[in-house]
Amino acid sequence: MVKKLPSVDVVLVGFGWTAAMVAEELTAEGLNVVALERGAWRDTPTDFAVTFAQDELRYMWRRSLFQEPARQTLTFRNSMDQTALPMRHLGSFLPATGVGGAGIHWNGQTWRFLPTDFVARSHNEARYGTLPEHMTIQDWGVTYDELEPFYDKFEYLCGISGRAGNIKGTIQDGGNPFEGARARDYPNPPLRMVYGPTLFAAAARETGHKPFPCPAANMSRTYTNPLGVTLAPCTYCGFCEKFGCGNYSKSSPQTTILPVLMRRDNFELRTQCEVLRVNRDSSGKRATSVTYIDTEGREFEQPAEMIFLCAFAQHNVHLLLLSGIGKPYDPKSGEGVIGRNYAYQVVSSVDVFFDDKIINPFVGAGALGVGIDEYNGDNFDHGGLGFIGGGYLACWNTHGRPIELHPVPKGTPKWGGKWKEAVAKSYLRTATISTHGAVMSYRTNYLDLDPTYRDVHGRPLLRLTFDFGENEHRLSDYLTDRAAEIAKAMKPREIHAKKREGHYSVVPYQTTHNTGGAAMGSDPRTSFVNRYLQSWDVSNLFVMGSTVFPQNAGYNPTGTIGALTYAATDAIKSKYLKNPGPMVQA
């Protein structure tokens, strides 16, 4: 029997960054909000206290903060003519579970997308001509200028450390001159830079580039955000990515929002509750409730006036497909929107080996680095290059974790005495230049339900069909070559350029930046949500996170996720609550 619970104003599915932001905004408006998180409770003093050992084996290799594939996974294939198989060990990306979601284990690299990123189709076609027929990229339905106040709000919530490059159209010394205009500087100055990134900055300037300190959600000083929550200066311990921060130095829901939100009487968080489906009324135009199951196997129905899907990008799509909401995408006909326009990120690197320089990689922070943006978005002329899009180059000093970090020159044996000798020689004397590139959306890259494999609840697994296109390979090769040029200017003993080659593989970790599957836009035929992340079909259903990206840009997605979330809640408060219904007419 399913137990029906009393109705509330808002129910949130998942509780990471977007859910915490929505909950804080709407409870402040007086609404009763319930959040349902499939994982366990986590907070800083009990789960990530500074007295705890940052156990690399536990968190990096045994994936303590992440989804358990034995309970929930997906199937993968590169193309439709292959049979998809289950992902039995997390590899290419790491979906989180538990309160805080990926906001716990992220590095803190917080970017704004470029103005041209939001008009990817119209801008590129105007400049370079008609795009390939199989490339399904589209404009977002919202512009950078419209999102700028909400980027600002998210950055001040998180206390981002950085240096502005463009304030109200005036280029600022030392910042990123290619960024869109911003209203004011970052709330905190940049992190104090260490040796490796400073060598990269000098070489970048020598080769004609404009390096800048990368924006970081790692605190460069004590900071109190607009909610009155105080964060502490980063200690450069090098345990950010895949780890929780016990020093209150990395922005997360736990360190920016929860100390305020959890004290509100009109907010309730239920952990270890997995939502099975979203229910609708007989018309199909209104969501009425969600059905979820707890750890004892009991089913509950939670009615609500508004429902927000705030889970990991792929999980939002999975829930929509299982709930029969929206038309599933058909790659053969090109029709449908749920599962359409899945995209990812394409990355590569160049290792730079020295004999006479000690880099000390263990003095690190998640977003401690220097970047250049000359090759991102459409900041450069793509004429004759055979691709669109781009990415940033950066030299990060994020960690020196000994199990994970063992850089060795090309040609080194994979094991044995020679390998050990190379690791011992290279560990302190190596810097790495990373490339971080955009991925376009294609007709044949998509998400749907697997016809064979099922999860612990008997539901079809989500199936991912994805491969890099020729555009991504050319883009990545171009970025890697530019990184190699700067690497040589650093005057090393040798370099090792690691290009992205062959088909996409789900095995090695790359990034957790999955996007798309329920894209936003201005046309219901090619998008599931409008500019306010409101479903075209079910007006009291909203989808948060990178699920709504029509394609992926060359940056990490979190800053844009934050801006879109605040833009959506602003519209809900000013428009929807006064007149519930579609906020944009189809």
Side-chain angles (χ1 to χ4, degrees):
M1 296 292 292
V2 178
K3 182 178 179 179
K4 189 170 184 177
L5 303 172
S7 183
V8 295
D9 296 318
V10 176
V11 67
L12 310 172
V13 179
F15 196 75
W17 264 125
T18 61
M21 294 162 66
V22 171
E24 195 283 320
E25 289 282 302
L26 297 187
T27 52
E29 290 292 302
L31 276 64
N32 293 312
V33 177
V34 168
L36 302 171
E37 164 57 45
R38 65 176 179 163
W41 167 258
R42 290 196 179 102
D43 65 14
T44 302
T46 56
D47 293 276
F48 310 112
V50 291
T51 53
F52 288 10
Q54 290 288 35
D55 187 338
E56 188 180 357
L57 185 63
R58 173 185 176 186
Y59 290 109
M60 168 59 191
W61 298 102
R62 293 177 179 166
R63 311 298 200 203
S64 179
L65 297 178
F66 305 114
Q67 175 178 299
E68 298 177 37
R71 292 189 57 81
Q72 184 66 56
T73 189
L74 51 72
T75 64
F76 167 74
R77 59 185 182 175
N78 284 126
S79 60
M80 290 187 290
D81 61 353
Q82 297 176 341
T83 299
L85 296 174
M87 186 177 178
R88 299 189 183 276
H89 299 277
L90 294 180
S92 178
F93 42 84
L94 302 173
T97 190
V99 171
I104 289 178
H105 73 78
W106 72 317
N107 260 329
Q109 297 165 11
T110 311
W111 302 86
R112 296 183 176 197
F113 283 9
L114 295 165
T116 54
D117 289 332
F118 295 100
V119 286
R121 176 165 285 277
S122 59
H123 173 84
N124 281 291
E125 288 195 329
R127 187 171 184 185
Y128 302 112
T130 303
L131 296 175
E133 183 179 356
H134 68 292
M135 186 180 284
T136 57
I137 68 170
Q138 61 196 49
D139 294 355
W140 293 54
V142 66
T143 67
Y144 171 86
D145 288 342
E146 290 168 324
L147 286 179
E148 196 284 330
F150 305 107
Y151 272 119
D152 180 271
K153 185 172 181 176
F154 183 67
E155 288 166 357
Y156 273 73
L157 171 80
C158 294
I160 302 302
S161 304
R163 179 171 293 134
N166 182 345
I167 298 179
K168 299 180 180 178
T170 301
I171 302 302
Q172 308 293 308
D173 290 339
N176 179 5
F178 299 97
E179 70 175 356
R182 58 174 64 238
R184 53 179 173 169
D185 207 341
Y186 288 101
N188 285 314
L191 292 164
R192 293 179 63 185
M193 209 52 62
V194 289
Y195 194 30
T198 63
L199 293 172
F200 170 82
R205 280 190 289 269
E206 181 183 325
T207 52
H209 301 90
K210 297 180 173 63
F212 56 90
C214 296
N218 318 117
M219 298 305 103
S220 60
R221 61 183 179 185
T222 302
Y223 176 73
T224 301
N225 74 11
L227 296 179
V229 182
T230 299
L231 292 89
C234 179
T235 59
Y236 299 83
C237 74
F239 288 88
C240 277
E241 185 182 21
K242 307 176 185 77
F243 297 82
C245 178
N247 200 51
Y248 291 84
S249 300
K250 180 173 71 173
S251 299
S252 68
Q254 279 82 350
T255 60
T256 60
I257 299 174
L258 264 60
V260 172
L261 180 61
M262 295 304 294
R263 289 181 168 89
R264 292 184 179 165
D265 293 336
N266 55 340
F267 175 71
E268 181 185 354
L269 172 59
R270 301 175 194 157
T271 58
Q272 297 182 319
C273 295
E274 182 162 1
V275 175
L276 302 178
R277 60 186 174 274
V278 178
N279 306 304
R280 289 174 291 165
D281 65 11
S282 58
S283 71
K285 298 295 184 182
R286 184 178 182 278
T288 57
S289 62
V290 299
T291 299
Y292 71 90
I293 190 169
D294 68 8
T295 54
E296 297 180 19
R298 298 175 300 180
E299 284 194 30
F300 298 88
E301 181 183 355
Q302 177 60 68
E305 294 299 315
M306 302 169 65
I307 295 173
F308 290 76
L309 304 189
C310 301
F312 185 62
Q314 295 167 345
H315 299 154
N316 285 339
V317 178
H318 192 208
L319 189 57
L320 289 168
L321 289 168
L322 292 171
S323 303
I325 299 175
K327 185 175 181 179
Y329 173 66
D330 180 356
K332 295 180 180 178
S333 68
E335 297 179 350
V337 292
I338 304 301
R340 182 180 184 270
N341 277 35
Y342 171 85
Y344 190 51
Q345 212 94 62
V346 60
V347 295
S348 65
S349 62
V350 178
D351 288 338
V352 188
F353 299 93
F354 298 98
D355 284 327
D356 58 344
K357 295 178 176 62
I358 301 297
I359 304 301
N360 287 342
F362 52 83
V363 184
L368 175 63
V370 170
I372 64 169
D373 230 9
E374 277 82 355
Y375 310 113
N376 213 336
D378 200 35
N379 292 340
F380 61 106
D381 186 358
H382 289 67
L385 295 177
F387 67 87
I388 61 170
Y392 67 81
L393 312 183
C395 181
W396 303 103
N397 231 70
T398 61
H399 74 91
R401 299 187 290 270
I403 301 177
E404 187 175 355
L405 184 70
H406 36 75
V408 292
K410 188 175 182 179
T412 301
K414 301 293 185 182
W415 62 283
K418 293 292 185 181
W419 177 82
K420 293 178 182 179
E421 181 181 337
V423 171
K425 181 178 181 180
S426 302
Y427 176 80
L428 294 177
R429 296 177 173 85
T430 305
T432 298
I433 302 174
S434 300
T435 81
H436 196 273
V439 169
M440 300 299 123
S441 297
Y442 297 94
R443 186 166 180 160
T444 53
N445 288 342
Y446 65 102
L447 299 163
D448 67 350
L449 295 178
D450 191 273
T452 304
Y453 295 97
R454 295 180 176 269
D455 66 12
V456 293
H457 305 300
R459 305 175 302 173
L461 294 182
L462 188 69
R463 178 171 63 178
L464 167 61
T465 304
F466 176 75
D467 206 353
F468 293 124
E470 185 178 3
N471 187 90
E472 284 62 52
H473 281 293
R474 290 178 175 175
L475 180 158
S476 186
D477 286 349
Y478 183 85
L479 295 180
T480 311
D481 289 342
R482 304 292 78 74
E485 291 168 359
I486 297 173
K488 292 173 183 176
M490 294 171 72
K491 299 178 176 56
R493 180 188 76 233
E494 62 183 295
I495 69 171
H496 182 192
K498 303 174 182 176
K499 290 192 173 183
R500 177 62 56 192
E501 297 176 341
H503 295 288
Y504 165 75
S505 171
V506 80
V507 176
Y509 181 73
Q510 292 156 70
T511 77
T512 304
H513 307 160
N514 295 262
T515 66
M520 64 186 297
S522 55
D523 185 349
R525 294 175 300 176
T526 57
S527 60
F528 179 68
V529 295
N530 61 30
R531 59 178 294 156
Y532 302 121
L533 313 189
Q534 177 188 37
S535 167
W536 292 107
D537 302 327
V538 184
S539 62
N540 66 332
L541 176 65
F542 297 81
V543 181
M544 303 288 112
S546 61
T547 310
V548 305
F549 290 14
Q551 57 276 327
N552 211 358
Y555 297 107
N556 307 59
T558 308
T560 298
I561 290 170
L564 289 171
T565 303
Y566 273 138
T569 55
D570 181 75
I572 290 166
K573 292 188 297 183
S574 62
K575 296 180 180 181
Y576 183 88
L577 295 181
K578 297 174 182 177
N579 184 26
M583 291 186 283
V584 179
Q585 297 303 317

